[in-house]
Amino acid sequence: MVVNPKPTRMIDCNELYNKFNYFCKYFYCPNEILIIDCRSFSEYEEGHIINSIHMKSNDDELLIPYGKRIEIIPNIIIYDNNCEDIMLSKGGYEEFSARFPFMRTTKMIYTLCELSEIPSYPYEIIPNSLYIGNFEQATATYVQKNLRINVHVNCTNKIGSYISESENLLQLNISDSDEDIYSKIETCNNFIEIHLRQFHRILIFSDNGVGRSAIFVLGFLMNLYKISYE
């Protein structure tokens, strides 16, 4: 099958990163996402984005690998070295691998079991600054090391082991049934603002990373962009 790629929009590195980590399902669900590497095969061998496939070229056309039904795949991402020719993944492999070196590999073939075991990372809200995740990610050494997280906002009543120092930890001590959660948003906003001014990397987390932590992230963004609660 031959196709001339005509991308409808460009995505940047943090959007591609977030797609990778969206509930971790994109990694091991082959019908959800197709990542295509259009560089030379020698460059692909040296390193590529995890689970991307190499696409052979025929003159100015690209050949879809056998067995890939692109009409049923909702997310197709194409990149070359720096996206001067293929304008889809902004910055291409060079920028993505520079920002997220832990998400590149030389491995070419994965089993479904191997894909399901690829570790997940927090969602990036503000590039290189603010992240949202779950309790497991907040206590995982690989997350803190690879994303260089040094500040934590704990939206649970659990105590975990973190890399950040005590002054870089905000322990909110709240549960899902806590009705006083909104009264703590201002405290959280002030804490985040202080550390953003110091160029720290902040992880806001709750048990699953979708409830309490999302409320505090939303509260901070509304305050940052002067959006009324009404």
Side-chain angles (χ1 to χ4, degrees):
M1 180 179 181
V2 180
V3 61
N4 287 311
K6 296 180 180 179
T8 57
R9 71 184 183 95
M10 183 182 294
I11 64 172
D12 55 23
C13 288
N14 66 299
E15 184 176 353
L16 177 53
Y17 164 86
N18 284 335
K19 281 186 176 294
F20 271 162
N21 292 288
Y22 181 65
F23 296 122
C24 306
K25 70 177 181 180
Y26 285 152
F27 270 129
Y28 51 87
C29 187
N31 291 329
E32 286 290 338
I33 192 168
L34 175 63
I35 306 171
I36 299 171
D37 188 316
C38 296
R39 301 172 302 155
S40 68
F41 187 70
S42 61
E43 290 174 313
Y44 178 78
E45 281 187 309
E46 290 176 2
H48 49 268
I49 297 174
I50 291 176
N51 203 31
S52 63
I53 62 172
H54 183 255
M55 181 173 284
K56 298 179 180 179
S57 61
N58 181 15
D59 296 326
D60 292 329
E61 296 179 324
L62 298 175
L63 304 179
I64 298 295
Y66 178 77
K68 294 294 183 182
R69 297 182 57 194
I70 63 173
E71 69 274 10
I72 66 171
I73 300 176
N75 299 280
I76 299 176
I77 298 170
I78 302 174
Y79 70 89
D80 63 1
N81 251 333
N82 50 33
C83 281
E84 292 178 352
D85 299 317
I86 299 173
M87 301 299 291
L88 184 55
S89 178
K90 184 179 180 181
Y93 178 74
E94 289 184 0
E95 184 174 333
F96 186 84
S97 62
R99 281 209 52 207
F100 306 107
F102 52 89
M103 298 185 78
R104 63 186 181 191
T105 183
T106 57
K107 187 176 177 65
M108 298 184 189
I109 299 176
Y110 289 87
T111 65
L112 288 178
C113 181
E114 287 174 328
L115 288 173
S116 67
E117 292 175 352
I118 293 175
S120 67
Y121 284 84
Y123 208 74
E124 188 174 62
I125 304 301
I126 300 177
N128 299 316
S129 300
L130 185 63
Y131 301 82
I132 181 173
N134 57 41
F135 190 86
E136 181 180 353
Q137 292 167 338
T139 55
T141 302
Y142 74 89
V143 171
Q144 325 310 312
K145 177 182 177 182
N146 290 337
L147 292 179
R148 301 197 295 278
I149 301 293
N150 49 17
V151 176
H152 292 82
V153 176
N154 185 351
C155 302
T156 76
N157 50 17
K158 298 179 181 178
I159 303 297
S161 176
Y162 316 109
I163 291 179
S164 59
E165 302 294 335
S166 57
E167 64 270 18
N168 290 354
L169 170 65
L170 177 61
Q171 180 77 40
L172 293 173
N173 292 316
I174 53 178
S175 63
D176 280 328
S177 59
D178 196 332
E179 297 180 356
D180 196 36
I181 185 172
Y182 294 99
S183 67
K184 300 181 180 180
I185 289 180
E186 184 176 357
T187 298
C188 183
N189 287 347
N190 293 336
F191 180 82
I192 294 173
E193 288 175 358
I194 289 172
H195 288 283
L196 286 181
R197 286 197 293 268
Q198 299 177 51
F199 302 101
H200 289 164
R201 295 192 176 201
I202 306 162
L203 173 59
I204 302 178
F205 66 94
S206 52
D207 286 328
N208 298 313
V210 295
R212 286 158 288 174
S213 54
I215 291 175
F216 285 100
V217 167
L218 182 60
F220 173 75
L221 293 177
M222 292 179 70
N223 179 68
L224 179 66
Y225 295 109
K226 311 301 181 185
I227 300 174
S228 172
Y229 288 99
E230 298 179 357

